[in-house]
Amino acid sequence: MKNHSNSAQLFEKAKTLMPGGVNSPVRAFKSVGGTPVFIKKGKGAYITDEDNNEYIDYCCSWGPLILGHANEDVEKAIIETVKNGTSFGAPTALENQLADLIIANHSYIEKIRFVSSGTEAVMSALRLARGVTGKSKIIKFEGCYHGHVDSLLVKAGSGLITFGESTSAGVPESFTNETIVLPLNDEDAVSSTLEKLHHQIAAIIIEPIPANNGLLLQSHKFLLHLRELCTKYNVLLIFDEVISGFRVGFEGAAGLYKIQPDIITFGKIIGGGMPVGAYASSHEIMNHVSPVGNVYQAGTLSGNPVAMAAGYAQLHACLQEDFYHHLQHKADLLVDGVKKHIEQKGYEITIYNIGSIFWFAFSDMTHLTRADQINAGKMTLFAKVYHHLFEEGIYFGPSGYEVGFVSAAHTEADIQKTIKAICNAFDKVM
Ligand SMILES: *Cc1c(COP(=O)(O)O)cnc(C)c1O
């Protein structure tokens, strides 16, 4: 067994200082059991913990690090920028530079506003949709995560038209009443809800590639159906691309499926590992945002120069020829390698990817599309696999509901080593 004594000690101390010892709940390892490791440093595809154990990292800070850890270009951009100060609360050329790079290379947006997290981007996008339409209710889907926005911390309640039930204490019922929760990939559910309630509905928000509760792949037809219905009923379609943006291609899921949403939210990759979020749309819709329009939204550290420089360096690298092609190739390699073993052994496990996002689940289905298809009872198997991989020096996000990310820094040798470790882990638990 690896030595984790320094991490264990740090975690004991952290628990006296922060709730559960962490600043974001999933980091606490509750769903796989055991103690989280504290990370000392990362380089490329590797992270090193406080006891000097090394891991090949497929969490990649939950997606942002598409170039891997401490990428030289990103590092250099941060260091050069920080020498000139860290924040001014006044415009900088760096904001123009990043906005220009994104807009010039993204066919689905014309204007962007930077914020500091994915949650903030989503919260602002909802306000904008409400401001533009003059309506208040939002449709979201069971199995999509949109950050910790009050009115979106809801799951389907009971009853025909399901007003949400809060999944967190501290969310007033009046907020959850503004949210309607529907099953993913179900055209009829959306049609019938809009038919009845479109006068009250401001927006439909969806992760076009739901990747926060397993990887639930939606049919192209379903996403097109959302687009058509939204246009028909004057409801805005929000693609929450905080994970999929710049991940499955520079234009994200909108580009992959060739669907024009009304508003797109970004986060994660956009900041190159620094805290950045953004929401973007047409000139017409974005001009509703203050100071031009009457939808108020602001941020002291929004468009922070150091974060803008990091985001620019990372997105600039993403625009190099064949960047996404190479990433996809490595993820395919990983998935195909493991799949071959699963098929040989006849295990009831599925593994699949879209671009460089991959996920495996203990299921007899080849692809899952809805949250209720995930077998929660099998998560004990995931926890066992997790710890085997952990011992072998392979680091995943500590939950079976989380996806894995391949970065540009992973080598084919890393991938081969990972395939072997995953196959061994499956052999041990199945
Ligand atoms: C991560 C994520 C968020 C929240 O972003 P934070 O930066 O954690 O606030 C919102 N939506 C989606 C789709 C995400 O993946």
Side-chain angles (χ1 to χ4, degrees), residues 325-337 351-358 404-407 415 419:
H325 180 82
H326 288 313
L327 266 186
Q328 160 108 34
H329 171 71
K330 281 187 279 186
D332 288 349
L333 208 64
L334 175 59
V335 163
D336 292 345
I351 182 166
Y352 52 93
N353 64 305
I354 182 163
S356 52
I357 310 174
F358 67 95
F405 299 98
V406 175
S407 79
I415 300 281
I419 292 172

Short mmCIF file of all heavy atoms in Angstrom, two decimals, residues 325-337 351-358 404-407 415 419:
data_model
loop_
_atom_site.label_atom_id
_atom_site.label_comp_id
_atom_site.label_asym_id
_atom_site.label_seq_id
_atom_site.Cartn_x
_atom_site.Cartn_y
_atom_site.Cartn_z
N HIS A 325 -8.23 16.54 -33.02
CA HIS A 325 -8.07 15.24 -33.67
C HIS A 325 -7.15 14.33 -32.83
O HIS A 325 -7.46 13.17 -32.56
CB HIS A 325 -7.51 15.48 -35.07
CG HIS A 325 -7.30 14.24 -35.84
ND1 HIS A 325 -8.32 13.61 -36.52
CD2 HIS A 325 -6.19 13.48 -36.03
CE1 HIS A 325 -7.84 12.52 -37.09
NE2 HIS A 325 -6.56 12.41 -36.81
N HIS A 326 -6.03 14.89 -32.39
CA HIS A 326 -5.09 14.12 -31.57
C HIS A 326 -5.71 13.71 -30.24
O HIS A 326 -5.52 12.59 -29.77
CB HIS A 326 -3.81 14.94 -31.31
CG HIS A 326 -2.94 15.10 -32.51
ND1 HIS A 326 -2.61 14.04 -33.32
CD2 HIS A 326 -2.33 16.18 -33.04
CE1 HIS A 326 -1.83 14.47 -34.30
NE2 HIS A 326 -1.66 15.77 -34.17
N LEU A 327 -6.41 14.64 -29.62
CA LEU A 327 -7.05 14.35 -28.33
C LEU A 327 -8.04 13.20 -28.47
O LEU A 327 -8.05 12.26 -27.68
CB LEU A 327 -7.84 15.57 -27.85
CG LEU A 327 -7.18 16.57 -26.92
CD1 LEU A 327 -8.23 17.58 -26.49
CD2 LEU A 327 -6.58 15.90 -25.71
N GLN A 328 -8.87 13.31 -29.50
CA GLN A 328 -9.89 12.30 -29.75
C GLN A 328 -9.23 10.94 -29.97
O GLN A 328 -9.69 9.91 -29.46
CB GLN A 328 -10.70 12.71 -30.99
CG GLN A 328 -11.45 11.57 -31.65
CD GLN A 328 -12.95 11.65 -31.43
OE1 GLN A 328 -13.52 12.75 -31.36
NE2 GLN A 328 -13.59 10.52 -31.32
N HIS A 329 -8.13 10.95 -30.74
CA HIS A 329 -7.43 9.71 -31.04
C HIS A 329 -6.99 9.01 -29.75
O HIS A 329 -7.16 7.80 -29.59
CB HIS A 329 -6.22 10.00 -31.93
CG HIS A 329 -5.32 8.83 -32.12
ND1 HIS A 329 -5.67 7.74 -32.89
CD2 HIS A 329 -4.09 8.55 -31.61
CE1 HIS A 329 -4.69 6.84 -32.84
NE2 HIS A 329 -3.73 7.31 -32.07
N LYS A 330 -6.47 9.78 -28.81
CA LYS A 330 -5.98 9.18 -27.56
C LYS A 330 -7.14 8.65 -26.70
O LYS A 330 -7.03 7.58 -26.11
CB LYS A 330 -5.16 10.21 -26.77
CG LYS A 330 -3.75 10.33 -27.31
CD LYS A 330 -2.87 11.20 -26.45
CE LYS A 330 -3.12 12.66 -26.75
NZ LYS A 330 -2.20 13.55 -26.04
N ALA A 331 -8.23 9.40 -26.68
CA ALA A 331 -9.40 8.94 -25.92
C ALA A 331 -9.98 7.67 -26.56
O ALA A 331 -10.36 6.73 -25.86
CB ALA A 331 -10.45 10.04 -25.83
N ASP A 332 -10.02 7.63 -27.89
CA ASP A 332 -10.50 6.44 -28.61
C ASP A 332 -9.64 5.23 -28.26
O ASP A 332 -10.14 4.13 -28.02
CB ASP A 332 -10.45 6.65 -30.13
CG ASP A 332 -11.52 7.62 -30.63
OD1 ASP A 332 -12.41 7.98 -29.85
OD2 ASP A 332 -11.44 8.03 -31.81
N LEU A 333 -8.33 5.48 -28.23
CA LEU A 333 -7.37 4.41 -27.93
C LEU A 333 -7.67 3.82 -26.54
O LEU A 333 -7.73 2.59 -26.37
CB LEU A 333 -5.97 5.04 -27.93
CG LEU A 333 -4.78 4.17 -28.28
CD1 LEU A 333 -4.89 3.69 -29.72
CD2 LEU A 333 -3.49 4.99 -28.12
N LEU A 334 -7.86 4.69 -25.58
CA LEU A 334 -8.14 4.27 -24.20
C LEU A 334 -9.44 3.46 -24.14
O LEU A 334 -9.49 2.36 -23.59
CB LEU A 334 -8.22 5.51 -23.31
CG LEU A 334 -8.63 5.32 -21.85
CD1 LEU A 334 -7.69 4.38 -21.14
CD2 LEU A 334 -8.68 6.66 -21.12
N VAL A 335 -10.47 4.03 -24.73
CA VAL A 335 -11.79 3.41 -24.67
C VAL A 335 -11.81 2.08 -25.43
O VAL A 335 -12.30 1.07 -24.93
CB VAL A 335 -12.86 4.39 -25.20
CG1 VAL A 335 -14.15 3.67 -25.54
CG2 VAL A 335 -13.10 5.49 -24.17
N ASP A 336 -11.21 2.06 -26.62
CA ASP A 336 -11.20 0.83 -27.41
C ASP A 336 -10.42 -0.28 -26.71
O ASP A 336 -10.82 -1.45 -26.73
CB ASP A 336 -10.62 1.08 -28.81
CG ASP A 336 -11.54 1.96 -29.66
OD1 ASP A 336 -12.71 2.11 -29.28
OD2 ASP A 336 -11.08 2.50 -30.68
N GLY A 337 -9.30 0.11 -26.11
CA GLY A 337 -8.47 -0.87 -25.41
C GLY A 337 -9.22 -1.53 -24.26
O GLY A 337 -9.19 -2.75 -24.09
N ILE A 351 -18.06 1.32 -21.58
CA ILE A 351 -17.15 2.48 -21.57
C ILE A 351 -17.29 3.16 -22.91
O ILE A 351 -17.39 2.50 -23.94
CB ILE A 351 -15.69 2.06 -21.27
CG1 ILE A 351 -14.77 3.29 -21.23
CG2 ILE A 351 -15.17 1.03 -22.27
CD1 ILE A 351 -13.39 3.01 -20.61
N TYR A 352 -17.41 4.47 -22.89
CA TYR A 352 -17.50 5.21 -24.16
C TYR A 352 -17.02 6.63 -23.97
O TYR A 352 -16.80 7.09 -22.84
CB TYR A 352 -18.92 5.17 -24.74
CG TYR A 352 -20.04 5.59 -23.80
CD1 TYR A 352 -20.50 6.91 -23.76
CD2 TYR A 352 -20.65 4.67 -22.97
CE1 TYR A 352 -21.54 7.28 -22.93
CE2 TYR A 352 -21.70 5.03 -22.12
CZ TYR A 352 -22.14 6.34 -22.11
OH TYR A 352 -23.17 6.71 -21.27
N ASN A 353 -16.81 7.30 -25.11
CA ASN A 353 -16.29 8.67 -25.05
C ASN A 353 -16.94 9.52 -26.13
O ASN A 353 -17.52 9.01 -27.10
CB ASN A 353 -14.77 8.67 -25.27
CG ASN A 353 -14.36 8.17 -26.65
OD1 ASN A 353 -14.73 7.07 -27.06
ND2 ASN A 353 -13.60 8.98 -27.38
N ILE A 354 -16.88 10.81 -25.91
CA ILE A 354 -17.20 11.77 -26.97
C ILE A 354 -16.06 12.77 -26.94
O ILE A 354 -15.80 13.40 -25.91
CB ILE A 354 -18.60 12.40 -26.79
CG1 ILE A 354 -18.91 13.37 -27.93
CG2 ILE A 354 -18.77 13.09 -25.44
CD1 ILE A 354 -20.39 13.71 -28.05
N GLY A 355 -15.31 12.84 -28.03
CA GLY A 355 -14.06 13.60 -28.00
C GLY A 355 -13.19 13.06 -26.89
O GLY A 355 -13.06 11.84 -26.72
N SER A 356 -12.64 13.95 -26.07
CA SER A 356 -11.73 13.51 -25.01
C SER A 356 -12.40 13.34 -23.66
O SER A 356 -11.74 13.28 -22.63
CB SER A 356 -10.56 14.50 -24.91
OG SER A 356 -11.05 15.82 -24.78
N ILE A 357 -13.74 13.29 -23.63
CA ILE A 357 -14.48 12.98 -22.40
C ILE A 357 -14.83 11.50 -22.43
O ILE A 357 -15.41 11.04 -23.41
CB ILE A 357 -15.80 13.77 -22.30
CG1 ILE A 357 -15.59 15.27 -22.57
CG2 ILE A 357 -16.48 13.54 -20.96
CD1 ILE A 357 -16.90 16.06 -22.63
N PHE A 358 -14.51 10.76 -21.39
CA PHE A 358 -14.90 9.35 -21.37
C PHE A 358 -15.51 8.98 -20.03
O PHE A 358 -15.35 9.67 -19.02
CB PHE A 358 -13.71 8.44 -21.70
CG PHE A 358 -12.61 8.45 -20.65
CD1 PHE A 358 -12.58 7.50 -19.65
CD2 PHE A 358 -11.62 9.43 -20.67
CE1 PHE A 358 -11.57 7.50 -18.67
CE2 PHE A 358 -10.62 9.45 -19.70
CZ PHE A 358 -10.59 8.48 -18.71
N GLY A 404 -14.09 11.12 -17.07
CA GLY A 404 -12.64 11.32 -17.14
C GLY A 404 -12.30 12.20 -18.34
O GLY A 404 -13.07 12.29 -19.30
N PHE A 405 -11.15 12.86 -18.24
CA PHE A 405 -10.71 13.75 -19.32
C PHE A 405 -9.30 13.36 -19.77
O PHE A 405 -8.41 13.20 -18.93
CB PHE A 405 -10.67 15.20 -18.84
CG PHE A 405 -12.01 15.72 -18.41
CD1 PHE A 405 -12.35 15.74 -17.06
CD2 PHE A 405 -12.94 16.18 -19.33
CE1 PHE A 405 -13.59 16.22 -16.64
CE2 PHE A 405 -14.18 16.67 -18.93
CZ PHE A 405 -14.50 16.67 -17.58
N VAL A 406 -9.13 13.25 -21.08
CA VAL A 406 -7.79 13.05 -21.63
C VAL A 406 -7.28 14.44 -22.03
O VAL A 406 -8.02 15.23 -22.62
CB VAL A 406 -7.83 12.12 -22.86
CG1 VAL A 406 -6.46 12.02 -23.51
CG2 VAL A 406 -8.33 10.73 -22.46
N SER A 407 -6.03 14.72 -21.68
CA SER A 407 -5.45 16.03 -22.04
C SER A 407 -4.40 15.84 -23.13
O SER A 407 -3.98 14.72 -23.41
CB SER A 407 -4.80 16.67 -20.81
OG SER A 407 -3.52 16.08 -20.59
N ILE A 415 -1.53 6.15 -21.83
CA ILE A 415 -2.82 5.54 -22.16
C ILE A 415 -2.72 4.01 -22.05
O ILE A 415 -3.58 3.36 -21.46
CB ILE A 415 -3.28 5.94 -23.59
CG1 ILE A 415 -3.42 7.46 -23.70
CG2 ILE A 415 -4.56 5.22 -23.99
CD1 ILE A 415 -4.65 8.07 -23.13
N ILE A 419 -4.87 1.58 -19.65
CA ILE A 419 -5.72 0.49 -20.13
C ILE A 419 -5.44 -0.76 -19.31
O ILE A 419 -6.36 -1.42 -18.80
CB ILE A 419 -5.44 0.19 -21.64
CG1 ILE A 419 -5.91 1.36 -22.50
CG2 ILE A 419 -6.16 -1.10 -22.07
CD1 ILE A 419 -5.50 1.26 -23.97
#
